[in-house]
Amino acid sequence: MLDIGRLLPSDRNVWEGLFRSYIAFYGRVEPDEMYDRAWHEFRADATLHALGARIDGRLVGITHFLTHGNTSAPGTEVCYLQDLFTAPDARGKGVGRALIEAVADWARGRGCSRVYWNTHESNSTARHLYDKVAENRGFIRYQIELSS
């Protein structure tokens, strides 16, 4: 049975393993402090939020998201789904779709006007799902890395 819910304190190690796999998928390496900070923020559930997907009680998927103001729908916030990852052995079982739907329900309940996300153009597996559940509006993302 597939269940979606908040991450529990006991999920920390499995969550980190899934998040590290997500980061590695995109060819990145992040310091341990990033995982500690993210976990702290998700547990506080104030500005950064996280949900987990469980199949028969086993954490097999995660999503991280946040809300922010916007200029095109004044008076409402939008929800940015920042990270989404499913364990390889759980793919094709509805986990990604269920996590996206849960984020959309969460955002709808808070009056957000939309949920949006980015993915790499080469991520054909994820894009196959995304093309079914959302509209690709054709935007291309640009980024400037700022030194800390």
Side-chain angles (χ1 to χ4, degrees), residues 48-61:
L48 299 178
H49 311 285
L51 293 172
R54 292 175 179 76
I55 294 180
D56 298 327
R58 178 178 155 239
L59 186 64
V60 296

Side-chain angles (χ1 to χ4, degrees), residues 18-90:
L18 292 168
F19 195 21
R20 284 183 183 274
S21 294
Y22 170 84
I23 294 296
F25 175 83
Y26 284 107
R28 296 173 22 218
V29 176
E30 298 291 346
D32 291 340
E33 298 79 35
M34 188 275 304
Y35 297 97
D36 293 338
R37 182 190 58 77
W39 181 255
H40 175 76
E41 292 294 329
F42 298 143
R43 295 298 305 145
D45 200 33
T47 58
L48 299 178
H49 311 285
L51 293 172
R54 292 175 179 76
I55 294 180
D56 298 327
R58 178 178 155 239
L59 186 64
V60 296
I62 56 172
T63 187
H64 308 143
F65 52 99
L66 57 101
T67 62
H68 63 84
N70 70 98
T71 59
S72 59
T76 65
E77 290 192 319
V78 295
C79 180
Y80 176 54
L81 193 161
Q82 187 167 16
D83 309 314
L84 178 70
F85 188 79
T86 300
D89 66 322

